[in-house]
Amino acid sequence: MTGAATQVLALLALRWQMARGPGVRLAVCLAGLGAGWLLMLSLQAAGALEPAALETAAALAPEAFLGFAILALIAPLTAAGGEVVPPEQLVAFPVRPQAQFLGALMLAPLNLVWVVQLLVLGVEVSSLTLGGNLAAGALTAAVFVLFATVLGQALAWTVVGLRETRAGRRVALLAGAAVVATALAVVHSGAGQATLDHAPTRLVVRAVVAGGAGDLGTWAGVSAALLLATAVVALTGLRACAWALRRTGGTGAPGDARDLRRRRPRPSALRELVALDRASVWRAPALRRGGLVLALLPGVAAAGARVPWSSLAVLPGLVAAGSGLLFGINAFALDGSGATWLASLPVPPALVVRAKLLVLTETVLGAVVLAATTGALRAPAGPTTAELVAVVAAALACTAVVVATGLHLSVAAPHRADLRGPRDAIAPPGALAVASVRLSLPTALTGLLVGAGGAGPWWLPPLLAAGPLALSAVSLRTSLGRWEDPVVRGRVVQVVANG
C-alpha cells in the first residue's frame, strides 16, 4: 500500500504540472480553501437557526445521510472521470491497481454535488449536537462519509469488471433495471416514507446524537463498526479494481469488432452532422450511462419526494447543469481523432457548431422536460397558471444558460478525450470541477429567481427569465463569432484530435 500511495502522489504531482497556467492552480487552491471554510461554517450553523428550523433539520437528518450515501454510490457509476491521469497516457508506466483505486477515491470530492451534500451533513451534525460534543458527532459523520465514498468506488470498479464480458454486461444491466424497478414500485405504491423510516442511516444519526450527548457507548460502537466496514470495503475495492484491470476483452474491444450497418444518408449536411454527433454521444459508455441515469433519477427522486409545483421550478436548473456536464463543456471532443477529417470536409464551419448546439440542446432540454414531467405527476396538488408558466420558463432559461456556457467552454478551453473506456471523462478532473461550478451556480440562481415569480402573476416568470435568455443569446453569438476565426477553430481541432 505504501508503494501505491507513493504512485498516487507522483500522479498528482504530474497532474499539477499539467495545469495550463498559474491561474488554474490558484483557482484549485482557492476552491479547496473555500470548501474548507464553508464546511467550518456549516458545522457552526445550528447556533444561527430558529428553533423551528433547527427541529426540522434534526428531523430530516436520516434522509440527508441517506441522500449522501445514494449520491456516493451513483456518482462513480455515471460521472466517470475516476483517474488522476487518463489510462492511455500511462501505458508505459507500471501503475498499480491499488494506485488507480486510491486516485479515484481522492478525486471523489471534485464534484460540486458531493461538496454540497457534505455541507448539508455539516449543518445536520451541528443541529444534532447543539450544546454538546461537536467533535464526537463530526467524527462519526466523517467516518460515514468515508465509508459511503469507498463503497461507491468499490461498486463502480466491480461494475467495470463485470462489463468486460457479455454475460457480465447482462448481469449489470439486470441489476440496474431491478434497482430502477424497485424505486419506481416504492414511489408508485406510496411507501416512500415507510421505507425512509427504516433507513439504516437512522442508526448513524443516533450515534451522532449520542456522541454529542456524551453517550460514549453507543457512539463508540457505531463509529467502530463504520470504521471496520470501511476497512473491509476498501480491501474489497482494491481487489475489485485489480480484478477489473486484469479482465480481458475490454469494454472498447467488442464495440470495435462488431459489424455496423451503414446508415442511410441524410437529406442535408446539417442533419448528417447531427446524426454523427448523436452517434458519438451514444457510443461512449460513460456518456451513455450518465445520460440514462440523468433521464431517470431526478424525476424519480422528485416524484418520490412529492415536490410541490411551487418548488418544481428549481428542478430544471439542477438537471440542466448535470446534463451539460455530460459532454457540453467540451462538445468538440465528441469528434476525437476524426476532428481533423471533419474539418477538411467542404461544409461551412457554422454547420459544425450548429450541429453540436442542436445535439446539446436536445440532450439538456430532453432531460429537463422528462424530470419535470415525472415530478409533476406526483405533485401533491394541481398548479396555478403562474406556477406552470414558471416551470416552463425555468426549463427554457436554464437550458439556454447551460448551452451558452457549454459552447463558451468548448471553444475557449477544449480538451482531448477519447471516451472509449467505461470511466473516461469528457475533461480532466480539475476542469470538470470548475465547469460544474460554472454550470450549477447560474442555473440554480435562475431556477430560484424564476420559481419565485410563480407566486405572482402569470406574466412575471417569463419576464424574470428574459434576462438569462438575453445574456445566453449574447454569449452564444460571441462564441459563434470566435468559432468563425480560423486560428481559434484550428486550435480546437488540434487539441481534441491530438491533445
Side-chain angles (χ1 to χ4, degrees):
M1 185 63 68
T2 303
T6 303
Q7 287 189 343
V8 171
L9 293 177
L11 291 175
L12 290 174
L14 176 61
R15 171 57 70 185
W16 184 258
Q17 293 296 325
M18 293 169 65
R20 297 189 174 185
V24 177
R25 300 177 184 178
L26 179 61
V28 172
C29 294
L30 291 178
L33 292 175
W37 177 66
L38 290 175
L39 181 59
M40 293 300 297
L41 290 181
S42 69
L43 290 172
Q44 302 171 6
L49 295 179
E50 297 292 335
L54 189 63
E55 183 179 354
T56 302
L60 294 177
E63 287 79 2
F65 277 82
L66 181 62
F68 182 90
I70 293 174
L71 170 70
L73 292 177
I74 293 178
L77 293 172
T78 59
E83 286 79 16
V84 179
V85 178
E88 63 271 9
Q89 300 180 15
L90 300 175
V91 174
F93 301 95
V95 178
R96 299 182 181 183
Q98 294 88 343
Q100 298 218 24
F101 181 82
L102 292 177
L105 192 61
M106 294 182 67
L107 292 180
L110 291 181
N111 184 313
L112 182 63
V113 181
W114 191 95
V115 174
V116 171
Q117 291 282 2
L118 184 64
L119 297 179
V120 171
L121 291 190
V123 175
E124 295 292 350
V125 171
S126 177
S127 303
L128 295 171
T129 60
L130 183 63
N133 190 347
L134 175 62
L139 180 60
T140 302
V143 176
F144 171 79
V145 167
L146 181 61
F147 166 73
T149 305
V150 174
L151 180 60
Q153 292 295 331
L155 178 62
W157 279 110
T158 302
V159 173
V160 169
L162 285 174
R163 290 183 56 82
E164 295 296 339
T165 62
R166 181 175 299 177
R169 286 192 289 273
R170 290 176 178 173
V171 170
L173 180 61
L174 289 175
V179 171
V180 173
T182 301
L184 291 175
V186 170
V187 171
H188 182 70
S189 63
Q193 188 59 49
T195 303
L196 292 176
D197 290 340
H198 294 84
T201 51
R202 292 189 173 273
L203 183 61
V204 179
V205 172
R206 283 199 292 269
V208 173
V209 174
D215 183 4
L216 298 183
T218 303
W219 169 79
V222 175
S223 301
L226 280 174
L227 195 59
L228 178 61
T230 302
V232 172
V233 172
L235 292 176
T236 305
L238 290 171
R239 292 183 177 273
C241 179
W243 169 72
L245 295 175
R246 286 197 307 266
R247 300 274 279 176
T248 58
T251 304
D256 294 339
R258 73 175 184 267
D259 294 332
L260 294 176
R261 178 175 296 181
R262 183 178 181 180
R263 299 192 302 267
R264 69 179 187 275
R266 300 307 194 269
S268 66
L270 178 61
R271 292 189 180 182
E272 195 70 55
L273 291 171
V274 168
L276 184 63
D277 288 333
R278 288 172 180 163
S280 298
V281 174
W282 191 251
R283 72 169 173 83
L287 303 188
R288 182 170 64 245
R289 195 163 60 245
L292 290 175
V293 171
L294 276 172
L296 295 174
L297 184 62
V300 172
R306 296 180 65 86
V307 177
W309 277 92
S310 58
S311 302
L312 203 59
V314 182
L315 185 62
L318 303 177
V319 178
S323 302
L325 281 175
L326 278 178
F327 64 89
I329 61 171
N330 193 21
F332 296 100
L334 295 176
D335 300 334
S337 58
T340 305
W341 171 75
L342 288 173
S344 68
L345 295 178
V347 296
L351 282 185
V352 177
V353 72
R354 283 176 60 191
K356 297 287 190 300
L357 282 177
L358 287 174
V359 174
L360 177 58
T361 302
E362 68 184 14
T363 301
V364 175
L365 188 59
V368 168
V369 170
L370 185 59
T373 303
T374 307
L377 293 176
R378 293 276 297 175
T384 64
T385 302
E387 290 174 343
L388 180 61
V389 172
V391 173
V392 175
L396 296 177
C398 292
T399 299
V401 170
V402 168
V403 171
T405 305
L407 183 61
H408 169 73
L409 293 174
S410 298
V411 174
H415 300 277
R416 164 80 176 178
D418 281 336
L419 300 175
R420 295 169 62 86
R423 294 175 64 84
D424 288 348
I426 196 67
L432 279 174
V434 173
S436 66
V437 175
R438 297 189 63 171
L439 288 178
S440 300
L441 292 182
T443 53
L445 292 176
T446 300
L448 290 172
L449 177 66
V450 178
W458 68 267
W459 49 263
L460 184 58
L463 183 63
L464 294 174
L469 286 171
L471 292 176
S472 300
V474 173
S475 177
L476 282 173
R477 183 173 181 178
T478 303
S479 299
L480 291 173
R482 294 191 63 189
W483 178 254
E484 292 291 339
D485 185 349
V487 175
V488 174
R489 193 164 62 250
R491 179 180 60 85
V492 173
V493 171
Q494 190 275 330
V495 169
V496 300
N498 305 307

